[in-house]
Amino acid sequence: GYRIFYTGHLPGGDPKEIVMASRADSLAGRRVQHATPRFAGIPAYDRWDFRDPFVFWNAEAKTWWMLLTTRKSGQAVIGLYTSPDLDRWTAAPPLYTEASPLNLEVPDLFREGADWFLLYSDQRDPSRQTRYLSAATSAGPYAYGPYDALDGRGFYAGKTAGTGTGRLLFGWVADRRGRSDDAEFAWGGDLVAHAIRRTDDGALAVDIAEPVARQFRTVAGRVSPG
């Protein structure tokens, strides 16, 4: 079967945000069970900000991991829960903690070569960037390298997907209010997809995706559709 984990948000609720789950026997048949609440952040994490669940099988830890945007003791953290079966979830210490009251949104974690990379989106205005840290193991500790952002200001909510031979990064680039170049960023924008590659010094960089690049060829010094 198939499972979806997502955020249940109830303005004015206590807790305000919880992890929800839905199941389906088949994508084609669209036989989806009713959504069921799984758990809230309390007591291990925050009762208000507790969202963006990212679930994956961690072969290194030999268990399912769920990363979450949340806080602990008033500090911004990327929370961690583990599970043997996707049904029973246990809170673990935060995967990463920052000395700020912000939210480290839309976390993502993946292995590239011998290194692990932890992504999140930075709430700070006016940056609104997708940032990353790295570690030698999935458990960390995670630290910034000489470069700490993918793309530039306004590229937000970056999430990755890969097949083992390549990885793409999907996010949105914010519009300017009133479509004016000197205006503030608005919430939302246009979808942008990058390829992720390693640089010579081991950092991450974005590039044009190869399937897109193959659509073009150079003829007599000019670039034209191929």
Side-chain angles (χ1 to χ4, degrees):
Y2 297 85
R3 302 184 187 226
I4 298 174
F5 293 91
Y6 59 99
T7 304
H9 180 90
L10 179 63
D14 185 2
K16 184 173 71 174
E17 293 182 332
I18 63 174
V19 171
M20 302 283 291
S22 293
R23 306 176 78 170
D25 298 326
S26 149
L27 289 181
R30 300 179 184 273
R31 295 189 297 274
V32 180
Q33 294 181 357
H34 292 295
T36 56
R38 301 309 302 172
F39 53 88
I42 49 178
Y45 290 108
D46 195 75
R47 67 197 322 124
W48 312 116
D49 291 290
F50 191 71
R51 59 180 174 273
D52 305 335
F54 172 65
V55 178
F56 71 103
W57 172 255
N58 187 332
E60 183 180 79
K62 296 182 174 57
T63 190
W64 292 98
W65 274 24
M66 179 188 292
L67 306 187
L68 288 139
T69 297
T70 186
R71 295 189 181 95
K72 187 176 181 67
S73 302
Q75 298 295 298
V77 302
I78 293 177
L80 174 62
Y81 282 73
T82 64
S83 173
D85 55 11
L86 294 175
D87 288 319
R88 296 166 293 162
W89 291 94
T90 302
L95 193 62
Y96 175 71
T97 301
E98 179 181 283
S100 81
L102 300 175
N103 289 299
L104 311 179
E105 296 193 303
V106 200
D108 192 357
L109 182 65
F110 62 90
R111 188 173 185 173
E112 186 72 25
D115 301 310
W116 287 81
F117 292 94
L118 177 63
L119 275 62
Y120 70 87
S121 288
D122 194 335
Q123 274 191 325
R124 293 174 183 84
D125 287 322
S127 62
R128 293 287 182 181
Q129 288 183 293
T130 297
R131 298 163 66 89
Y132 77 92
L133 308 95
S134 61
T137 69
S138 58
Y142 285 88
Y144 294 108
Y147 313 104
D148 62 5
L150 293 169
D151 204 319
R153 291 175 56 202
F155 181 82
Y156 206 74
K159 297 283 286 186
T160 72
T163 62
T165 58
R167 183 166 290 272
L168 298 177
L169 172 70
F170 303 89
W172 51 261
V173 174
D175 297 326
R176 297 281 188 173
R177 297 188 186 280
R179 298 290 182 172
S180 175
D181 289 343
D182 60 353
E184 297 178 351
F185 285 127
W187 185 257
D190 301 306
L191 174 69
V192 172
H194 295 298
I196 290 182
R197 62 176 177 84
R198 299 289 296 273
T199 63
D200 291 340
D201 59 2
L204 293 183
V206 295
D207 204 346
I208 186 170
E210 181 58 30
V212 176
R214 284 201 303 266
Q215 304 304 309
F216 299 88
R217 59 191 168 138
T218 302
V219 178
R222 299 177 59 192
V223 176
S224 59

